[in-house]
Amino acid sequence: MSLVRLNIKGISYSQTQNGAYALILSEVDGERKLPIVIGAFEAQSIAIALEKEIKPPRPLTHDLFKNFADRFDIIVKQVIIHKLVDGVFYSSVICERDKIEEIIDARTSDAIALALRFQAPIFTYKNILDQAGIYLKVNPKKEDENASDDPLVDELLVSDELQGTTKETSYKDLSLDELNTMLGQAVSSEDYELAARIRDEISKRG
């Protein structure tokens, strides 16, 4: 079976499943997206790894694993989403130490959080993407003043499967000083999802 490389497209809050998030993976050489439902903690951990400028005051579980692996010269080489059963994705983390390769079973959300920290590629098999991959269209209401500048958000807004899962917060009326103050408060309180959104707004302003 052939492997297909995936990139992380983004994370969307799910209003239909309380406390859940939709992690959107996108095939590198194609248009299909692979949505995976994950928990709040894993969503925060992935968001922090994506937002490299946000440093938590204490290491999260996945950061601890990375520090532990670095200390003992363990490398995560790649992550493979290898099975889909009853809507649940199963993944393997391919590790190496002293040129000996090991395959470790992991939840997909944990595996991806680790792949980001090790800058390891993420793959799935073509048959899984054929089975669960979807096409997300661009939001036709882009001209609307409330439309987002994030193409992922626009895609999610018109996806039948993910309709209503994106929750946008506008910070356009706040000054940079106010945003930086809010960013510091969000990091201190370990609300990393909020911190990531504020960081995005600060980055847009240059």
Side-chain angles (χ1 to χ4, degrees):
M1 290 184 290
S2 59
L3 287 172
V4 179
R5 185 163 181 176
L6 303 170
N7 285 332
I8 296 176
K9 185 73 173 174
I11 302 173
S12 171
Y13 180 72
S14 174
Q15 295 177 348
T16 59
Q17 297 188 45
N18 188 31
Y21 290 75
L23 171 65
I24 311 299
L25 303 176
S26 175
E27 61 179 328
V28 172
D29 297 319
E31 300 296 327
R32 287 175 296 182
K33 309 295 187 294
L34 191 66
I36 300 174
V37 176
I38 62 175
F41 172 77
E42 292 77 13
Q44 282 195 346
S45 184
I46 291 171
I48 288 172
L50 291 170
E51 291 286 340
K52 300 184 184 300
E53 295 182 29
I54 298 176
K55 302 295 182 183
R58 299 175 298 170
L60 300 180
T61 302
H62 299 109
D63 298 318
L64 176 61
F65 184 97
K66 174 66 163 58
N67 294 338
F68 182 90
D70 288 344
R71 184 66 59 89
F72 291 96
D73 297 321
I74 300 170
I75 300 171
V76 171
K77 297 179 64 178
Q78 63 184 9
V79 162
I80 300 177
I81 303 171
H82 63 83
K83 186 168 63 173
L84 173 61
V85 179
D86 296 329
V88 178
F89 293 91
Y90 293 78
S91 294
S92 295
V93 179
I94 315 301
C95 303
E96 183 179 277
R97 181 173 184 267
D98 295 334
K99 297 183 179 180
I100 299 175
E101 190 174 276
E102 299 285 350
I103 301 175
I104 300 175
D105 183 45
R107 295 187 306 170
T108 298
S109 54
D110 289 329
I112 291 173
L114 292 176
L116 285 170
R117 286 162 171 80
F118 284 88
Q119 298 183 343
I122 302 166
F123 296 94
T124 192
Y125 289 109
K126 182 178 180 299
N127 67 313
I128 292 178
L129 198 56
D130 290 340
Q131 180 181 351
I134 60 174
Y135 291 91
L136 298 179
K137 300 177 182 178
V138 175
N139 188 357
K141 298 182 180 180
K142 182 63 182 176
E143 299 300 325
D144 186 86
E145 62 179 3
N146 295 321
S148 168
D149 291 329
D150 184 347
L152 170 65
V153 172
D154 295 331
E155 290 172 340
L156 292 179
L157 285 172
V158 296
S159 166
D160 290 338
E161 184 168 346
L162 300 174
Q163 182 69 38
T165 63
T166 301
K167 185 178 182 181
E168 280 293 293
T169 303
S170 175
Y171 303 106
K172 63 182 179 180
D173 295 329
L174 299 177
S175 68
L176 279 175
D177 287 341
E178 290 172 322
L179 288 171
N180 281 306
T181 298
M182 289 177 62
L183 177 61
Q185 293 172 343
V187 173
S188 296
S189 63
E190 301 185 6
D191 187 346
Y192 302 117
E193 182 198 0
L194 174 60
R197 293 201 299 268
I198 297 171
R199 170 59 64 186
D200 286 344
E201 177 62 28
I202 293 173
S203 298
K204 288 179 185 177
R205 301 189 188 187

